[in-house]
Each structure stands twice: as C-alpha cells, then as structure tokens.
Amino acid sequence: SCKSLDDCIDLYLKEESLKGADQYYCGKCKTHVDGTKKQDLWMLPPVLIVHLKRFKYNDYGKIGTKNEAAIEYPVTGWDLKSRVKSKRG
C-alpha cells in the first residue's frame, strides 16, 4: 500500500499493535500478553541505506508472493528531519 519512500518510512515508524499470534512473552508474568511496538528515528546518519522487502510472507514465515509494487523515491534531497525525535537531529 506504499506508493513512495515517504509512505514506507511512515508505515515503518507507525505504532504497531501486538495481539493474538503476535503477542510478546512477558518474563515477569510468564505468559504472552498484548502490547505495542514503536520504532523512532532519533538521529540521522551521514548515509542512510534503505532496504525494501521484495517478498510478502504468510503467517508461518514462508514466502508467499513477490512484491512488485513500484515505489517512488527522490534521487536527491530526501528530507527526514520532520520524522526525527531528537532535537539534535
């Protein structure tokens, strides 16, 4: 559902709900529990390498189909500053 690299990074940085088969194991409770997972950008490196998934996986981790979606990307000037959480950037 991503059409651009900006869409992809926004999806990557979106909070994800962990429920059902995606629950995580709590060592304190000794059981699987619902939770959330969130990735953030705190600082930007001098060089950023982006790797896009080429395959869609099924629920069992096996390759289902090849992802042939075209992704638009900037050749120069990709500005990620608005997505950085640290004030030092």
Side-chain angles (χ1 to χ4, degrees):
S1 63
C2 293
K3 295 187 189 309
S4 70
L5 206 48
D6 285 314
D7 293 343
C8 293
I9 198 81
D10 289 340
L11 183 62
Y12 177 74
L13 297 175
K14 183 179 174 185
E15 186 173 279
E16 183 179 346
S17 181
L18 303 174
K19 296 181 179 180
D22 293 329
Q23 288 179 319
Y24 74 95
Y25 183 77
C26 175
K28 184 177 180 181
C29 304
K30 307 287 187 217
T31 186
H32 287 87
V33 295
D34 290 346
T36 58
K37 178 174 79 171
K38 176 84 170 88
Q39 302 286 340
D40 286 316
L41 294 176
W42 284 95
M43 294 176 68
L44 294 176
V47 175
L48 178 66
I49 298 171
V50 177
H51 178 91
L52 301 174
K53 290 184 180 180
R54 293 182 57 215
F55 298 96
K56 297 178 184 177
Y57 294 86
N58 63 22
D59 292 338
Y60 306 105
K62 304 235 182 202
I63 294 176
T65 59
K66 187 172 182 180
N67 185 352
E68 297 188 27
I71 302 294
E72 296 176 11
Y73 59 93
V75 177
T76 60
W78 189 32
D79 188 8
L80 293 171
K81 292 178 187 154
S82 64
R83 294 172 179 90
V84 175
K85 297 294 182 182
S86 170
K87 299 297 180 208
R88 296 183 302 171

Coordinates of all heavy atoms in Angstrom, one line a residue:
S1 N 0.8 -1.2 0.0 CA 0.0 0.0 0.0 C 0.9 1.3 0.0 O 0.3 2.4 0.0 CB -1.0 0.0 1.2 OG -0.2 0.0 2.4
C2 N 2.2 1.1 0.0 CA 3.1 2.3 0.0 C 3.3 2.6 -1.5 O 3.6 1.7 -2.3 CB 4.4 1.9 0.6 SG 4.3 1.7 2.4
K3 N 3.2 3.9 -1.8 CA 3.5 4.3 -3.2 C 4.8 5.1 -3.3 O 5.3 5.3 -4.4 CB 2.3 5.2 -3.7 CG 1.0 4.4 -3.8 CD 0.0 5.3 -4.4 CE -1.4 4.7 -4.4 NZ -1.6 3.4 -4.8
S4 N 5.3 5.6 -2.1 CA 6.5 6.4 -2.1 C 7.4 5.9 -1.0 O 6.9 5.3 0.0 CB 6.2 7.9 -2.0 OG 5.7 8.2 -0.8
L5 N 8.7 6.4 -1.0 CA 9.6 6.1 0.1 C 9.1 6.8 1.4 O 9.2 6.2 2.5 CB 11.0 6.5 -0.3 CG 12.1 5.8 0.4 CD1 12.0 4.3 0.4 CD2 13.4 6.3 -0.2
D6 N 8.5 7.9 1.3 CA 7.9 8.6 2.4 C 6.8 7.8 3.0 O 6.7 7.6 4.3 CB 7.3 10.0 2.0 CG 8.5 11.0 1.9 OD1 9.4 11.0 2.7 OD2 8.4 11.7 0.9
D7 N 5.9 7.2 2.2 CA 4.9 6.3 2.7 C 5.5 5.1 3.5 O 5.0 4.7 4.5 CB 4.0 5.7 1.6 CG 3.2 6.8 0.9 OD1 3.0 7.9 1.4 OD2 2.7 6.5 -0.3
C8 N 6.5 4.5 2.9 CA 7.2 3.4 3.5 C 7.8 3.7 4.9 O 7.6 3.0 5.9 CB 8.3 2.8 2.6 SG 7.7 2.1 1.1
I9 N 8.4 4.9 5.0 CA 9.1 5.2 6.3 C 8.0 5.6 7.3 O 8.1 5.2 8.5 CB 10.1 6.4 6.1 CG1 11.0 6.4 7.3 CG2 9.4 7.7 5.9 CD1 12.1 5.5 7.3
D10 N 6.9 6.2 6.8 CA 5.8 6.5 7.8 C 5.1 5.2 8.3 O 4.8 5.1 9.5 CB 4.7 7.3 7.1 CG 5.2 8.8 6.8 OD1 6.1 9.2 7.5 OD2 4.6 9.5 6.0
L11 N 5.0 4.2 7.4 CA 4.4 2.9 7.9 C 5.4 2.2 8.8 O 5.0 1.7 9.9 CB 4.2 2.0 6.7 CG 3.5 0.7 6.9 CD1 2.1 0.9 7.6 CD2 3.4 -0.1 5.7
Y12 N 6.7 2.3 8.6 CA 7.7 1.7 9.4 C 7.7 2.4 10.8 O 7.9 1.7 11.8 CB 9.1 1.8 8.8 CG 10.2 1.3 9.7 CD1 10.4 -0.1 9.8 CD2 11.1 2.2 10.3 CE1 11.4 -0.6 10.6 CE2 12.1 1.7 11.1 CZ 12.3 0.3 11.2 OH 13.3 -0.1 12.0
L13 N 7.5 3.7 10.9 CA 7.5 4.4 12.1 C 6.2 4.4 12.9 O 6.1 4.9 14.0 CB 7.9 5.8 11.9 CG 9.4 6.0 11.3 CD1 9.6 7.5 11.0 CD2 10.4 5.5 12.3
K14 N 5.1 3.8 12.3 CA 3.8 3.8 12.9 C 3.8 2.8 14.1 O 4.4 1.7 14.0 CB 2.8 3.4 11.9 CG 1.4 3.4 12.3 CD 0.5 3.0 11.2 CE -1.0 2.9 11.7 NZ -1.9 2.4 10.6
E15 N 3.1 3.1 15.2 CA 2.9 2.2 16.3 C 2.2 1.0 15.8 O 1.2 1.1 15.1 CB 2.2 2.9 17.4 CG 2.2 2.0 18.7 CD 1.6 2.8 19.9 OE1 2.4 3.5 20.5 OE2 0.4 2.6 20.1
E16 N 2.7 -0.2 16.2 CA 2.1 -1.5 15.8 C 1.5 -2.2 17.0 O 2.1 -2.3 18.1 CB 3.2 -2.3 15.2 CG 2.7 -3.6 14.7 CD 3.8 -4.4 14.0 OE1 4.9 -3.9 13.8 OE2 3.6 -5.6 13.8
S17 N 0.3 -2.7 16.9 CA -0.4 -3.4 18.0 C 0.0 -4.9 17.9 O 0.0 -5.5 16.9 CB -1.9 -3.3 17.8 OG -2.6 -4.0 18.8
L18 N 0.4 -5.4 19.1 CA 0.8 -6.9 19.1 C -0.3 -7.6 19.9 O -0.4 -7.6 21.1 CB 2.1 -7.0 19.9 CG 3.3 -6.2 19.3 CD1 4.5 -6.3 20.2 CD2 3.6 -6.7 17.9
K19 N -1.1 -8.3 19.1 CA -2.2 -9.1 19.7 C -2.3 -10.5 19.0 O -1.7 -10.7 18.0 CB -3.5 -8.4 19.4 CG -3.7 -7.0 20.1 CD -5.0 -6.4 19.8 CE -5.1 -5.1 20.6 NZ -6.4 -4.4 20.3
G20 N -3.0 -11.4 19.6 CA -3.2 -12.7 19.1 C -1.9 -13.4 18.9 O -1.1 -13.6 19.8
A21 N -1.6 -13.9 17.7 CA -0.4 -14.6 17.4 C 0.9 -13.8 17.5 O 2.0 -14.3 17.6 CB -0.5 -15.3 16.0
D22 N 0.7 -12.4 17.5 CA 1.8 -11.5 17.6 C 2.1 -11.0 19.0 O 3.0 -10.2 19.2 CB 1.6 -10.3 16.7 CG 1.5 -10.6 15.2 OD1 2.3 -11.6 14.8 OD2 0.8 -10.0 14.5
Q23 N 1.5 -11.6 20.0 CA 1.7 -11.2 21.4 C 3.2 -11.5 21.8 O 3.8 -12.3 21.2 CB 0.8 -12.0 22.4 CG -0.6 -11.6 22.3 CD -1.4 -12.4 23.3 OE1 -1.2 -13.6 23.5 NE2 -2.3 -11.8 24.0
Y24 N 3.7 -10.7 22.7 CA 5.1 -10.9 23.2 C 5.0 -11.7 24.5 O 4.0 -11.6 25.3 CB 5.9 -9.7 23.3 CG 5.5 -8.8 24.4 CD1 6.2 -8.8 25.6 CD2 4.5 -7.8 24.3 CE1 5.9 -8.0 26.7 CE2 4.2 -7.0 25.4 CZ 4.9 -7.1 26.5 OH 4.6 -6.3 27.6
Y25 N 6.1 -12.4 24.8 CA 6.2 -13.1 26.1 C 6.7 -12.3 27.2 O 7.8 -11.7 27.1 CB 7.1 -14.4 25.9 CG 7.1 -15.2 27.1 CD1 6.1 -16.1 27.4 CD2 8.2 -15.2 28.0 CE1 6.1 -16.9 28.6 CE2 8.3 -16.0 29.1 CZ 7.2 -16.8 29.4 OH 7.2 -17.6 30.5
C26 N 6.0 -12.1 28.3 CA 6.4 -11.4 29.4 C 7.1 -12.3 30.4 O 6.4 -13.2 30.9 CB 5.2 -10.7 30.1 SG 5.5 -9.8 31.6
G27 N 8.4 -12.1 30.7 CA 9.1 -12.9 31.6 C 8.6 -12.8 33.0 O 8.7 -13.7 33.8
K28 N 8.1 -11.6 33.4 CA 7.6 -11.4 34.7 C 6.3 -12.1 35.0 O 6.1 -12.8 36.0 CB 7.5 -9.9 35.0 CG 7.1 -9.5 36.4 CD 7.0 -8.0 36.6 CE 6.6 -7.7 38.0 NZ 6.4 -6.2 38.1
C29 N 5.4 -12.0 34.0 CA 4.1 -12.6 34.1 C 4.1 -14.1 33.7 O 3.2 -14.9 34.0 CB 3.1 -11.9 33.2 SG 2.9 -10.2 33.5
K30 N 5.1 -14.5 33.0 CA 5.3 -15.9 32.5 C 4.1 -16.3 31.5 O 3.6 -17.4 31.5 CB 5.3 -16.9 33.6 CG 6.4 -16.6 34.6 CD 7.8 -16.9 34.0 CE 8.8 -16.8 35.2 NZ 10.1 -16.2 34.7
T31 N 3.7 -15.3 30.7 CA 2.6 -15.6 29.7 C 2.8 -14.6 28.6 O 3.5 -13.6 28.6 CB 1.2 -15.4 30.4 OG1 0.2 -15.8 29.5 CG2 1.0 -14.0 30.9
H32 N 2.0 -14.9 27.5 CA 2.0 -14.0 26.3 C 1.0 -12.9 26.6 O -0.1 -13.2 27.1 CB 1.7 -14.7 25.1 CG 2.8 -15.6 24.6 ND1 3.0 -16.9 25.0 CD2 3.8 -15.3 23.7 CE1 4.1 -17.4 24.4 NE2 4.6 -16.4 23.6
V33 N 1.3 -11.7 26.3 CA 0.4 -10.5 26.6 C 0.4 -9.6 25.4 O 1.3 -9.6 24.5 CB 0.9 -9.7 27.8 CG1 0.8 -10.6 29.1 CG2 2.3 -9.2 27.6
D34 N -0.8 -8.9 25.3 CA -0.9 -7.8 24.2 C 0.1 -6.7 24.5 O 0.4 -6.5 25.7 CB -2.3 -7.3 24.2 CG -3.4 -8.3 23.7 OD1 -2.9 -9.3 23.1 OD2 -4.6 -8.0 23.9
G35 N 0.4 -6.0 23.5 CA 1.3 -4.9 23.7 C 1.4 -4.0 22.4 O 0.6 -4.2 21.5
T36 N 2.3 -3.1 22.4 CA 2.6 -2.3 21.2 C 4.1 -2.2 20.9 O 4.9 -2.5 21.8 CB 2.1 -0.9 21.4 OG1 2.7 -0.3 22.5 CG2 0.5 -0.8 21.5
K37 N 4.4 -2.0 19.7 CA 5.8 -1.8 19.3 C 5.9 -0.6 18.5 O 5.0 -0.3 17.6 CB 6.2 -3.0 18.4 CG 7.6 -3.0 17.9 CD 8.0 -4.3 17.2 CE 7.4 -4.3 15.8 NZ 7.9 -5.5 15.0
K38 N 7.0 0.2 18.7 CA 7.1 1.5 18.0 C 8.6 1.7 17.7 O 9.4 1.6 18.6 CB 6.6 2.6 18.9 CG 6.8 4.0 18.4 CD 5.7 4.4 17.5 CE 5.7 5.9 17.1 NZ 6.5 6.2 16.0
Q39 N 8.9 2.1 16.5 CA 10.2 2.5 16.0 C 10.2 4.0 15.9 O 9.2 4.6 15.4 CB 10.5 1.8 14.7 CG 10.5 0.4 14.7 CD 11.6 -0.3 15.4 OE1 12.7 0.3 15.6 NE2 11.5 -1.5 15.8
D40 N 11.3 4.6 16.2 CA 11.5 6.1 16.0 C 12.9 6.3 15.5 O 13.8 5.6 15.7 CB 11.4 6.8 17.4 CG 9.9 6.9 17.9 OD1 9.1 7.2 17.0 OD2 9.7 6.7 19.1
L41 N 13.0 7.5 14.8 CA 14.3 7.9 14.4 C 14.8 9.0 15.4 O 14.1 10.0 15.6 CB 14.2 8.6 13.0 CG 13.9 7.7 11.8 CD1 13.7 8.5 10.5 CD2 14.9 6.6 11.6
W42 N 15.9 8.8 16.0 CA 16.4 9.7 17.0 C 17.5 10.7 16.4 O 17.6 11.8 16.7 CB 17.0 9.0 18.2 CG 15.9 8.5 19.0 CD1 15.3 7.3 19.0 CD2 15.1 9.3 20.0 NE1 14.2 7.2 19.9 CE2 14.1 8.4 20.5 CE3 15.1 10.6 20.4 CZ2 13.2 8.9 21.4 CZ3 14.2 11.0 21.3 CH2 13.3 10.2 21.8
M43 N 18.3 10.1 15.5 CA 19.3 10.9 14.8 C 19.5 10.3 13.4 O 19.3 9.1 13.2 CB 20.7 10.8 15.5 CG 20.7 11.4 16.9 SD 22.2 11.1 17.8 CE 23.3 12.2 16.8
L44 N 19.8 11.2 12.5 CA 20.0 10.7 11.1 C 21.5 10.5 10.9 O 22.4 11.3 11.2 CB 19.5 11.8 10.1 CG 18.0 12.0 10.1 CD1 17.7 13.2 9.2 CD2 17.3 10.8 9.7
P45 N 21.9 9.4 10.2 CA 23.3 9.1 9.9 C 23.7 9.9 8.7 O 22.9 10.4 8.0 CB 23.3 7.6 9.6 CG 21.9 7.4 9.1 CD 21.0 8.3 9.8
P46 N 25.0 10.0 8.5 CA 25.5 10.7 7.3 C 25.0 10.0 6.0 O 24.8 10.7 5.0 CB 27.0 10.6 7.4 CG 27.3 10.3 8.8 CD 26.1 9.6 9.4
V47 N 24.9 8.7 6.1 CA 24.5 7.9 4.9 C 23.4 6.9 5.4 O 23.6 6.2 6.4 CB 25.6 7.1 4.3 CG1 25.1 6.2 3.2 CG2 26.7 8.0 3.8
L48 N 22.2 6.9 4.8 CA 21.2 6.0 5.2 C 20.9 5.1 4.0 O 20.7 5.5 2.9 CB 19.9 6.9 5.5 CG 18.6 6.0 5.8 CD1 18.8 5.3 7.2 CD2 17.4 6.9 5.9
I49 N 21.0 3.8 4.3 CA 20.7 2.7 3.4 C 19.3 2.2 3.7 O 19.0 1.8 4.8 CB 21.8 1.6 3.4 CG1 23.1 2.2 3.1 CG2 21.4 0.5 2.5 CD1 24.3 1.3 3.3
V50 N 18.5 2.2 2.7 CA 17.1 1.7 2.8 C 16.9 0.4 2.0 O 17.3 0.3 0.9 CB 16.1 2.8 2.3 CG1 14.7 2.2 2.4 CG2 16.2 4.1 3.1
H51 N 16.5 -0.6 2.7 CA 16.2 -1.9 2.1 C 14.7 -2.2 2.1 O 14.1 -2.3 3.2 CB 17.0 -3.0 2.9 CG 16.8 -4.4 2.3 ND1 17.6 -4.9 1.4 CD2 15.8 -5.3 2.6 CE1 17.2 -6.1 1.1 NE2 16.1 -6.4 1.8
L52 N 14.2 -2.4 0.9 CA 12.7 -2.6 0.8 C 12.5 -4.1 0.7 O 13.3 -4.8 0.0 CB 12.1 -1.9 -0.4 CG 12.3 -0.4 -0.4 CD1 11.8 0.2 -1.7 CD2 11.6 0.2 0.8
K53 N 11.5 -4.6 1.4 CA 11.1 -6.1 1.3 C 10.7 -6.4 -0.2 O 9.8 -5.7 -0.7 CB 10.0 -6.4 2.2 CG 10.5 -6.4 3.7 CD 9.3 -6.9 4.5 CE 9.7 -6.9 6.0 NZ 8.6 -7.3 6.8
R54 N 11.2 -7.5 -0.7 CA 10.8 -7.9 -2.1 C 9.7 -8.9 -2.0 O 9.1 -9.2 -3.1 CB 12.0 -8.4 -2.8 CG 13.0 -7.4 -3.1 CD 14.2 -7.9 -3.9 NE 13.8 -8.5 -5.1 CZ 14.3 -9.6 -5.6 NH1 15.3 -10.2 -5.1 NH2 13.9 -10.1 -6.8
F55 N 9.5 -9.6 -0.9 CA 8.5 -10.7 -0.8 C 7.5 -10.5 0.3 O 7.8 -9.9 1.3 CB 9.3 -12.0 -0.6 CG 10.2 -12.3 -1.7 CD1 11.6 -12.0 -1.6 CD2 9.8 -12.9 -2.9 CE1 12.5 -12.3 -2.6 CE2 10.6 -13.2 -3.9 CZ 12.0 -12.9 -3.8
K56 N 6.3 -10.9 0.1 CA 5.3 -10.9 1.1 C 5.3 -12.3 1.7 O 5.4 -13.3 1.1 CB 3.9 -10.7 0.5 CG 3.8 -9.3 -0.2 CD 2.5 -9.1 -0.9 CE 2.4 -7.8 -1.6 NZ 1.1 -7.7 -2.3
Y57 N 5.2 -12.3 3.1 CA 5.3 -13.6 3.8 C 3.9 -13.9 4.4 O 3.1 -13.1 4.7 CB 6.3 -13.5 5.0 CG 7.7 -13.3 4.5 CD1 8.2 -12.0 4.2 CD2 8.5 -14.4 4.3 CE1 9.5 -11.9 3.7 CE2 9.8 -14.2 3.8 CZ 10.3 -13.0 3.5 OH 11.6 -12.8 3.0
N58 N 3.7 -15.2 4.5 CA 2.4 -15.7 5.1 C 2.6 -15.7 6.6 O 3.6 -15.4 7.2 CB 2.0 -17.0 4.5 CG 2.9 -18.2 4.8 OD1 3.7 -18.1 5.7 ND2 2.9 -19.2 4.0
D59 N 1.5 -16.2 7.3 CA 1.5 -16.2 8.8 C 2.6 -17.2 9.4 O 2.9 -17.1 10.5 CB 0.2 -16.6 9.3 CG -0.9 -15.5 9.0 OD1 -0.4 -14.3 8.8 OD2 -2.1 -15.8 9.0
Y60 N 3.1 -18.1 8.5 CA 4.0 -19.1 9.0 C 5.5 -18.7 8.7 O 6.4 -19.5 8.9 CB 3.7 -20.5 8.4 CG 2.2 -20.8 8.7 CD1 1.3 -20.8 7.7 CD2 1.9 -21.2 10.0 CE1 0.0 -21.1 8.0 CE2 0.5 -21.6 10.3 CZ -0.4 -21.5 9.3 OH -1.7 -21.8 9.5
G61 N 5.7 -17.5 8.1 CA 7.0 -17.1 7.8 C 7.6 -17.6 6.5 O 8.7 -17.3 6.2
K62 N 6.7 -18.2 5.7 CA 7.2 -18.7 4.4 C 6.8 -17.7 3.4 O 5.8 -17.0 3.5 CB 6.5 -20.0 4.1 CG 6.7 -21.1 5.1 CD 7.2 -22.3 4.5 CE 7.4 -23.3 5.6 NZ 8.2 -24.3 5.4
I63 N 7.7 -17.6 2.3 CA 7.4 -16.7 1.2 C 6.1 -17.0 0.5 O 5.9 -18.1 0.1 CB 8.6 -16.7 0.3 CG1 9.9 -16.1 0.9 CG2 8.3 -15.8 -1.0 CD1 11.1 -16.2 0.1
G64 N 5.3 -16.0 0.4 CA 4.0 -16.2 -0.3 C 4.1 -15.7 -1.7 O 4.2 -16.5 -2.6
T65 N 4.3 -14.4 -1.9 CA 4.3 -13.9 -3.3 C 5.4 -12.8 -3.4 O 5.8 -12.2 -2.3 CB 3.0 -13.2 -3.7 OG1 2.6 -12.2 -2.8 CG2 1.9 -14.3 -3.8
K66 N 5.8 -12.5 -4.6 CA 6.8 -11.4 -4.8 C 6.1 -10.1 -4.8 O 5.0 -10.0 -5.4 CB 7.6 -11.6 -6.1 CG 8.7 -10.6 -6.3 CD 9.5 -11.0 -7.5 CE 10.6 -10.0 -7.6 NZ 11.5 -10.3 -8.8
N67 N 6.6 -9.1 -4.1 CA 6.0 -7.8 -4.0 C 6.6 -7.0 -5.2 O 7.8 -6.7 -5.2 CB 6.4 -7.1 -2.7 CG 5.7 -5.8 -2.5 OD1 5.1 -5.3 -3.5 ND2 5.9 -5.2 -1.4
E68 N 5.8 -6.7 -6.2 CA 6.2 -6.0 -7.4 C 5.7 -4.6 -7.4 O 5.7 -3.9 -8.5 CB 5.8 -6.8 -8.6 CG 6.4 -8.1 -8.7 CD 6.1 -8.9 -10.0 OE1 5.9 -8.2 -11.0 OE2 6.2 -10.1 -10.0
A69 N 5.4 -4.0 -6.3 CA 4.9 -2.6 -6.2 C 6.0 -1.7 -6.6 O 7.1 -1.8 -6.1 CB 4.3 -2.3 -4.8
A70 N 5.7 -0.7 -7.4 CA 6.6 0.4 -7.7 C 6.6 1.4 -6.6 O 5.6 1.8 -6.1 CB 6.2 1.0 -9.1
I71 N 7.8 1.8 -6.2 CA 8.0 2.8 -5.1 C 8.7 4.0 -5.7 O 9.8 3.9 -6.3 CB 8.8 2.2 -4.0 CG1 8.2 1.0 -3.4 CG2 9.0 3.3 -2.9 CD1 6.8 1.2 -2.7
E72 N 8.0 5.2 -5.5 CA 8.7 6.4 -6.0 C 9.7 6.9 -4.9 O 9.4 6.7 -3.7 CB 7.6 7.5 -6.1 CG 6.6 7.3 -7.2 CD 5.5 8.3 -7.3 OE1 5.6 9.4 -6.6 OE2 4.5 8.1 -8.0
Y73 N 10.8 7.3 -5.3 CA 11.8 7.8 -4.4 C 12.6 9.0 -4.9 O 12.8 9.1 -6.2 CB 12.8 6.6 -4.1 CG 13.5 6.1 -5.3 CD1 14.8 6.6 -5.7 CD2 13.0 5.1 -6.0 CE1 15.4 6.1 -6.8 CE2 13.6 4.6 -7.2 CZ 14.8 5.1 -7.5 OH 15.5 4.6 -8.6
P74 N 13.0 9.9 -4.1 CA 13.8 11.0 -4.5 C 15.3 10.6 -4.8 O 15.8 9.8 -4.0 CB 13.7 12.0 -3.4 CG 13.5 11.1 -2.2 CD 12.7 9.9 -2.6
V75 N 15.8 11.1 -5.8 CA 17.2 10.8 -6.1 C 18.2 11.7 -5.2 O 19.2 11.3 -4.8 CB 17.5 11.1 -7.6 CG1 19.0 10.8 -7.9 CG2 16.7 10.2 -8.5
T76 N 17.7 12.9 -5.0 CA 18.5 13.8 -4.1 C 17.5 14.6 -3.2 O 16.3 14.7 -3.5 CB 19.3 14.8 -4.8 OG1 18.4 15.6 -5.6 CG2 20.3 14.2 -5.7
G77 N 18.0 15.1 -2.1 CA 17.2 16.0 -1.2 C 16.1 15.3 -0.4 O 15.1 16.0 -0.1
W78 N 16.2 14.0 -0.1 CA 15.2 13.4 0.7 C 15.3 13.9 2.2 O 16.3 13.7 2.9 CB 15.3 11.9 0.7 CG 14.2 11.1 1.3 CD1 12.9 11.5 1.4 CD2 14.2 9.9 2.0 NE1 12.1 10.6 2.0 CE2 12.9 9.6 2.4 CE3 15.3 9.0 2.3 CZ2 12.6 8.4 3.1 CZ3 15.0 7.8 2.9 CH2 13.7 7.5 3.3
D79 N 14.3 14.7 2.6 CA 14.4 15.3 3.9 C 13.6 14.5 5.0 O 12.4 14.4 4.9 CB 13.8 16.8 3.8 CG 14.0 17.6 5.1 OD1 14.7 17.1 6.0 OD2 13.4 18.7 5.1
L80 N 14.3 14.0 5.9 CA 13.7 13.2 7.0 C 13.6 14.0 8.3 O 13.2 13.4 9.4 CB 14.4 11.9 7.2 CG 14.4 10.9 6.1 CD1 15.3 9.8 6.3 CD2 13.0 10.4 5.9
K81 N 14.0 15.2 8.3 CA 14.1 16.0 9.6 C 12.8 16.0 10.4 O 12.8 16.0 11.6 CB 14.6 17.4 9.3 CG 16.1 17.4 8.9 CD 16.6 18.8 8.6 CE 17.9 18.7 8.0 NZ 18.2 19.9 7.2
S82 N 11.7 16.1 9.7 CA 10.4 16.2 10.4 C 10.1 14.9 11.1 O 9.2 14.9 12.0 CB 9.3 16.5 9.4 OG 9.1 15.4 8.4
R83 N 10.7 13.8 10.8 CA 10.5 12.5 11.5 C 11.5 12.2 12.6 O 11.3 11.2 13.3 CB 10.5 11.4 10.4 CG 9.4 11.5 9.4 CD 9.6 10.5 8.3 NE 8.5 10.5 7.3 CZ 8.5 11.3 6.3 NH1 9.6 12.1 6.0 NH2 7.5 11.3 5.4
V84 N 12.5 13.0 12.8 CA 13.5 12.8 13.8 C 13.0 13.3 15.2 O 12.5 14.4 15.3 CB 14.8 13.5 13.5 CG1 15.8 13.4 14.6 CG2 15.3 13.0 12.2
K85 N 13.1 12.5 16.2 CA 12.6 12.8 17.5 C 13.6 13.6 18.4 O 13.2 14.4 19.2 CB 12.3 11.5 18.3 CG 11.2 10.7 17.7 CD 9.9 11.4 17.7 CE 8.8 10.5 17.2 NZ 7.5 11.2 17.1
S86 N 14.9 13.5 18.1 CA 15.9 14.2 18.9 C 16.0 15.6 18.4 O 15.9 15.9 17.2 CB 17.2 13.5 18.8 OG 18.3 14.3 19.3
K87 N 16.2 16.6 19.3 CA 16.3 18.0 18.9 C 17.7 18.2 18.3 O 17.9 19.2 17.5 CB 16.2 18.9 20.2 CG 14.8 18.8 20.8 CD 13.7 19.2 19.9 CE 12.4 19.1 20.6 NZ 11.3 18.9 19.6
R88 N 18.7 17.3 18.5 CA 20.0 17.4 17.9 C 20.0 17.0 16.5 O 20.9 17.3 15.7 CB 21.0 16.6 18.7 CG 21.2 17.1 20.1 CD 22.2 16.4 20.9 NE 21.9 15.0 20.9 CZ 22.7 14.1 21.3 NH1 23.9 14.4 21.7 NH2 22.4 12.8 21.3
G89 N 19.0 16.2 16.1 CA 18.8 15.8 14.7 C 19.9 15.0 14.1 O 20.0 14.7 13.0

